[in-house]
């Protein structure tokens, strides 16, 4: 028999809500994982193959990310079963029906995720009065356009490099997934003198040990074109980004891209996790054994949710950048110092930090 409470542990999930509106073709799940730190914030993912387990894991990741960033927010997530490329009118109907169904789940604030965007958040806000990642016209801060997550990732790298005596000037960087996170991280690193030696997207890898021009590649991507269309560098298959010798390797595409089968191929000193769960547990362990420093995803890539939380408080873009810079730098330093002192992997130190914050917040609550 299926066990309804199979995900239950000391932290949550507080609620798992199943939504089914056959007349609209809406099937969705909302997981409110933990609200000790405040109202849960987490994205709405639309994909045909989502699941309750995926939703729970993503909600839990948000609990840790929000707590680690000292946000007054707990973790939640929702998934809508469906093709995100469905016709605009149909998508609006499904998203609005979803929004109407979560109107009373007041301790969950939706944000954009895979398959949803600021327009979808606008519809949800219209139905419920609460969403983040809104269009600028109604008070949103365009976090992907301004590169909030890439900015935080670069700040995190700037702290982590001091733990391995790496100078950013001349540091060689390889970026897997030259999208919103990857290209902006590179833009901020290039400002400090780092050199892009490899970049990839779904079209393949571009590599040049002498350095690629990040601005030219960003302009190409911003024009809706792919890296393969660039005349620069050597053109290699997508997977070849893993072999590019570098000092800093940035995964900024998909989960589990580094696993037991390919972790040996990475030739780098620092892995800064822009993507969520880009390394399997085994691969991350192997990197730690080899002395490769890994900055865990929920510490390094919190820029986006910080920006969303600042937007929720009606703060400015400048306030968002200031918060990201201060908190991601401080957290990276704390986590890496802790890991060094206790001789534990950075992820273990990061989890301990987040769990401690959630426990402290829980202690202030009447209903625990
Ligand atoms: P995006 O769609 O803007 O960019 C992703 C890029 O990765 C694209 O250029 C795409 O071509 C490329 N890509 C996809 N599959 C690839 C593959 N197998 N190999 C190489 N490249 C591939 O997405 P994004 O917003 O930059 O998000 C990237 C990752 O970062 C995701 O895992 C996302 O969950 C995570 N993340 C994003 C944010 C944010 O603020 N956008 C915040 C935290 C975490």
């Amino acid at each position: 028999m299926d066990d309804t409470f199979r995900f239950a542990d000391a932290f949550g999930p507080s609620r798992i809500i199943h939504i089914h509106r056959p007349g609209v073709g809406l099937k969705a799940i909302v997981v409110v994982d933990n609200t000790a730190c405040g109202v849960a914030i987490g994205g709405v993912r639309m994909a045909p193959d989502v699941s309750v387990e995926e939703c729970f894991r993503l909600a839990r990741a948000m609990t840790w990310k929000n707590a680690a960033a000292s946000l007054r927010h707990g973790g939640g997530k929702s998934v809508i079963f469906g093709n995100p490329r469905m016709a605009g009118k149909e998508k609006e109907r499904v998203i609005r029906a979803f929004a109407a169904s979560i109107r009373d789940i007041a301790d969950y604030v939706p944000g954009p995720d895979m398959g949803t965007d600021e327009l979808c958040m606008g519809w949800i806000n219209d139905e419920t009065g609460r969403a983040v990642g809104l269009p600028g016209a109604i008070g949103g801060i365009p976090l992907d356009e301004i590169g909030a997550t890439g900015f935080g990732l670069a700040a995190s790298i700037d702290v982590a490099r001091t733990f391995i005596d790496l100078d950013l000037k001349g540091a060689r960087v390889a970026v897997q997934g030259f999208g919103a996170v990857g290209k902006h991280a590179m833009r901020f690193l290039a400002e400090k003198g780092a050199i892009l030696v490899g970049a990839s997207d779904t079209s393949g890898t571009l590599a040049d040990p002498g350095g690629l021009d990040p601005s030219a590649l960003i302009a190409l991507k911003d024009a809706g074109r792919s890296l393969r269309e660039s005349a620069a560098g050597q053109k290699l298959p997508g997977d070849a980004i893993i072999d590019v010798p570098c000092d800093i390797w940035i995964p900024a595409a998909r989960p589990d891209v580094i696993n037991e089968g390919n972790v040996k191929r990475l030739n780098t000193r620092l892995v800064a996790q822009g993507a969520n769960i880009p390394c399997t547990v085994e691969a991350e362990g192997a990197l730690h054994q080899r002395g490769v420093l890994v900055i865990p995803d929920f510490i390094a890539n919190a820029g986006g949710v910080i920006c969303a939380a600042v937007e929720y408080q009606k703060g400015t873009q400048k306030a968002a950048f200031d918060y990201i810079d201060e908190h991601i730098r401080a957290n990276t330093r704390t986590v890496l110092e802790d890991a060094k002192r206790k001789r534990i992997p950075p992820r273990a130190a990061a989890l301990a930090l987040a769990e401690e914050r959630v426990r402290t917040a829980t202690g202030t609550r009447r209903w625990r």
Side-chain angles (χ1 to χ4, degrees):
M1 197 178 68
D2 195 11
D3 178 4
T4 309
F5 288 96
R6 66 190 182 280
F7 305 117
D9 63 14
F11 296 99
S14 159
R15 275 176 302 150
I16 301 179
I17 299 132
H18 156 131
I19 296 165
H20 187 204
R21 298 249 169 139
V24 198
L26 169 68
K27 278 189 183 164
I29 294 158
V30 179
V31 175
V32 180
D33 182 46
N34 186 298
T35 54
C37 294
V39 168
I41 279 196
V44 182
R45 177 167 292 191
M46 183 186 260
D49 57 351
V50 285
S51 67
V52 65
E53 173 161 6
E54 178 177 352
C55 192
F56 162 67
R57 285 179 65 202
L58 294 166
R60 177 56 56 86
M62 291 310 295
T63 297
W64 300 145
K65 193 182 292 194
N66 296 345
S70 301
L71 297 176
R72 291 179 68 176
H73 288 292
K77 199 85 183 185
S78 52
V79 295
I80 301 176
F81 294 76
N83 177 359
R85 294 198 181 83
M86 66 177 70
K89 275 281 161 218
E90 190 190 346
K91 189 162 181 176
E92 178 170 354
R93 220 162 76 92
V94 170
I95 297 280
R96 282 189 184 276
F98 167 75
S101 308
I102 64 162
R103 191 176 285 134
D104 296 332
I105 309 174
D107 56 358
Y108 169 58
V109 180
D113 192 70
M114 275 166 52
T116 62
D117 57 13
E118 58 177 38
L119 180 58
C120 298
M121 294 309 117
W123 295 329
I124 294 176
N125 186 58
D126 186 39
E127 297 291 335
T128 65
R130 57 174 210 282
V132 287
L134 295 169
I138 52 171
I141 305 176
L143 64 93
D144 277 343
E145 213 177 289
I146 63 176
T149 303
F151 173 75
L153 195 59
S156 184
I157 290 168
D158 194 29
V159 172
R161 69 169 184 87
T162 62
F163 286 76
I164 52 169
D165 289 326
L166 175 69
D167 196 342
L168 273 188
K169 194 163 171 49
R172 298 162 307 155
V173 183
V175 181
Q176 182 191 50
F178 211 63
V181 174
K183 68 185 179 192
H184 284 294
M186 191 57 226
R187 177 165 67 86
F188 291 112
L189 291 172
E191 282 173 8
K192 292 183 183 285
I195 298 165
L196 180 66
V197 291
S200 75
D201 65 7
T202 46
S203 76
T205 297
L206 283 185
D208 186 343
L212 296 156
D213 177 359
S215 316
L217 297 185
I218 291 171
L220 188 79
K221 291 295 285 183
D222 287 349
R225 294 164 64 196
S226 59
L227 291 179
R228 182 196 291 268
E229 295 175 65
S230 164
Q234 199 187 353
K235 290 188 177 52
L236 302 166
D239 195 39
I241 191 71
I242 297 172
D243 305 298
V244 172
C246 60
D247 301 301
I248 304 167
W249 199 80
I250 301 180
R254 308 281 305 145
D256 296 337
V257 289
I258 298 299
N259 50 53
E260 274 179 298
N262 61 20
V263 65
K264 282 203 183 80
R265 288 166 46 197
L266 269 187
N267 183 355
T268 191
R269 298 179 61 198
L270 176 65
V271 173
Q273 300 187 339
N276 293 317
I277 33 171
C279 303
T280 62
V281 175
E282 295 76 20
E284 214 169 282
L287 288 169
H288 181 64
Q289 289 299 324
R290 261 169 52 194
V292 176
L293 189 60
V294 178
I295 325 174
D297 45 11
F298 69 88
I299 296 296
N301 74 17
V305 74
I306 292 175
C307 193
V310 170
E311 176 189 311
Y312 188 65
Q313 299 295 339
K314 310 213 174 340
T316 62
Q317 190 170 310
K318 178 172 183 313
F321 273 104
D322 288 348
Y323 192 110
I324 293 169
D325 198 48
E326 183 184 335
H327 285 259
I328 291 192
R329 279 179 188 275
N331 277 341
T332 306
R333 190 166 295 111
T334 304
V335 163
L336 297 185
E337 272 170 1
D338 230 38
K340 196 171 160 185
R341 197 174 53 247
K342 297 179 184 156
R343 295 174 184 272
I344 55 174
R347 182 170 295 273
L351 266 176
L353 172 100
E355 285 185 11
E356 183 51 35
R357 287 184 181 161
V358 174
R359 279 203 187 90
T360 305
T362 306
T364 68
R365 297 293 182 146
R366 183 197 298 177
W367 308 118
R368 294 173 190 162

